[in-house]
Amino acid sequence: MNLEELFNLHKEQSIEGRYLTLDHIQPLLDKLNSNNQVQIIGKSVLDKPIYSYQIGTGETRIYLWSQMHGNESTTTKALFDFINVLNSGSDFARQLLDKFTFYTIPILNPDGAALYTRENANKIDLNRDSQNLTQPESKILRGVFETFMPHYCFNLHDQRTIFGAGNTGKPATVSFLAPSYNEEREINENRLKAINLIAGINDTLQQYIPGQVGRFDDSFNINCIGDTFQFLGVPTILFEAGHFPNDYEREITRKFLFFSLISSFKLLCENDLVDNRINDYLNISQNKVVFYDFMYKNIKINYDGIEIITNFVAQYKEELIENEIHFNAYIAEVGELENYFGHYEYDAQGANYSDNHNTFPKVNEKADFYLNKNVKFVNGLIKS
Ligand SMILES: [Zn+2]
């Protein structure tokens, strides 16, 4: 199967970029709802509908939800690309629909999606609410789990640009976790199913993004939804869409998420899961916080009359302004910053730092500055 071709054929062209709300997916849901496959399964804090979409008649029940964190839209895009495959009428689609029943919630947190926040409208992180179930969105997610009784759960997220795949200097473009079900982080039959599946997906991804797959820390936290569902005996896989060089809109990462979904169901369909792939799973690089968006090296700064040569870093803040996400770069830290990398790196070779106020970079200021008074940087990037 040519995954690139499959993606190009079925990519949902009507959605793109980082800001993805109910308004954006409503036309897609209307189109998919030819025979009541789309349902309103509840309301958010701000009374917005939460939709499900179900397709397939197979015995193996698959539960997928995206945008539990409102500003994490990449997997929602990939989910719609995948749904297009399911509706394509191809032999592969028929094979999947005979084998599986898919229950999807494309935007679990529509209020957070509109506000472009991780949390819901009550400022609660839904992924820490899986025991207390204080929020309507958490109750809905749990309610479907109880009634649909999935065989597999897919917990779909985005991660920040700070994560690398180990200490290699490569970003973690896609990361995975088979969450723990107890404090001891033991591996039972269900967790092993998730582990084997991730190992299989990783085999595929390594062909396209070698060294850019990460494995998340498996500390047990029963308040996280993946840990809870795993604890309740259902193999659960956490997907984290991460950074690909220069792809802040996450349109390239979207493709690798699509590849991951296709690989998952191909593996499950063909029963192509080897018995025990714990070692392969553990060999996936661990997710490490090693990146900033910008790193400037060998900058001469003048602090109170003392000149030193040092490094500094800047990080984008994603700010929602008039329905658009703006990436605004702010200075994050000054120092040697050993063991860190920049997605963008610039060696100033001892040039003098200055900005409109200071002769040294100041944390939390915009990354607008000069080197030797003549090389200008605006919003983190060199201006030619
Ligand atoms: Zn998340």
Side-chain angles (χ1 to χ4, degrees), residues 254-359:
R254 163 189 191 165
K255 180 176 78 179
F256 297 120
L257 263 295
F258 172 84
F259 287 9
S260 305
L261 288 171
I262 294 286
S263 303
S264 302
F265 302 115
K266 217 168 158 282
L267 286 162
L268 289 174
C269 212
E270 292 161 0
N271 229 345
D272 204 6
L273 290 163
V274 184
D275 280 348
N276 182 336
R277 300 202 58 190
I278 296 174
N279 284 333
D280 297 324
Y281 174 72
L282 292 175
N283 277 334
I284 300 173
S285 305
Q286 231 185 321
N287 249 35
K288 289 259 173 76
V289 177
V290 289
F291 270 101
Y292 288 93
D293 291 319
F294 304 90
M295 177 170 271
Y296 310 96
K297 294 181 167 173
N298 303 310
I299 310 276
K300 190 186 283 175
I301 67 172
N302 186 322
Y303 190 80
D304 233 8
I306 299 163
E307 282 192 336
I308 56 164
I309 293 200
T310 187
N311 305 326
F312 74 97
V313 287
Q315 187 72 16
Y316 278 131
K317 281 186 190 163
E318 294 159 25
E319 296 172 333
L320 176 65
I321 303 163
E322 287 174 1
N323 287 322
E324 267 181 50
I325 307 303
H326 294 249
F327 290 85
N328 291 323
Y330 292 84
I331 294 164
E333 209 157 330
V334 184
E336 282 308 303
L337 295 152
E338 251 178 279
N339 305 323
Y340 282 92
F341 305 96
H343 293 301
Y344 170 93
E345 292 194 355
Y346 185 90
D347 186 349
Q349 300 178 320
N352 284 300
Y353 177 96
S354 65
D355 59 37
N356 288 339
H357 312 284
N358 300 305
T359 52

Side-chain angles (χ1 to χ4, degrees), residues 2-13 77-78 81-82 85 251-259 262:
N2 185 329
L3 288 174
E4 295 273 0
E5 207 174 283
L6 196 68
F7 178 72
N8 291 333
L9 220 58
H10 299 293
K11 180 182 175 187
E12 178 49 55
Q13 303 289 347
K77 294 187 289 185
D81 302 335
F82 176 63
V85 172
E251 288 295 312
I252 296 172
T253 299
R254 163 189 191 165
K255 180 176 78 179
F256 297 120
L257 263 295
F258 172 84
F259 287 9
I262 294 286

Side-chain angles (χ1 to χ4, degrees), residues 68-69 71-72 118 125 127 156-159 238 240:
M68 156 184 259
H69 292 140
N71 58 358
E72 299 178 358
R118 175 182 172 89
D125 183 340
N127 203 21
L156 306 174
H157 291 255
D158 270 66
Q159 63 186 353
L238 170 73
E240 293 277 359

Side-chain angles (χ1 to χ4, degrees), residues 103-230:
Y103 191 108
T104 70
I105 303 177
I107 298 184
L108 178 66
N109 176 6
D111 300 338
L115 297 162
Y116 200 67
T117 58
R118 175 182 172 89
E119 297 82 10
N120 74 349
N122 287 333
K123 296 195 161 52
I124 300 293
D125 183 340
L126 300 175
N127 203 21
R128 298 291 180 274
D129 190 39
S130 71
Q131 286 303 299
N132 297 334
L133 299 174
T134 61
Q135 303 302 304
E137 297 89 352
S138 314
K139 289 180 186 137
I140 289 163
L141 184 67
R142 182 58 175 269
V144 170
F145 179 84
E146 310 273 344
T147 53
F148 181 64
M149 295 189 288
H151 295 97
Y152 283 89
C153 289
F154 287 73
N155 184 15
L156 306 174
H157 291 255
D158 270 66
Q159 63 186 353
R160 287 177 293 158
T161 59
I162 57 176
F163 291 105
N167 295 312
T168 59
K170 290 193 173 187
T173 300
V174 187
S175 297
F176 297 97
L177 174 69
S180 297
Y181 70 93
N182 64 7
E183 291 285 352
E184 293 73 30
R185 311 179 197 189
E186 287 173 298
I187 296 172
N188 61 2
E189 199 188 325
N190 286 319
R191 189 170 179 216
L192 186 60
K193 284 185 185 172
I195 284 173
N196 289 344
L197 190 52
I198 292 169
I201 302 168
N202 181 54
D203 291 342
T204 302
L205 287 182
Q206 291 295 341
Q207 298 168 30
Y208 297 91
I209 39 171
Q212 284 171 238
V213 180
R215 175 174 48 86
F216 242 92
D217 173 67
D218 67 348
S219 315
F220 180 64
N221 182 348
I222 192 73
N223 296 311
C224 297
I225 194 66
D227 304 46
T228 289
F229 286 170
Q230 197 92 269

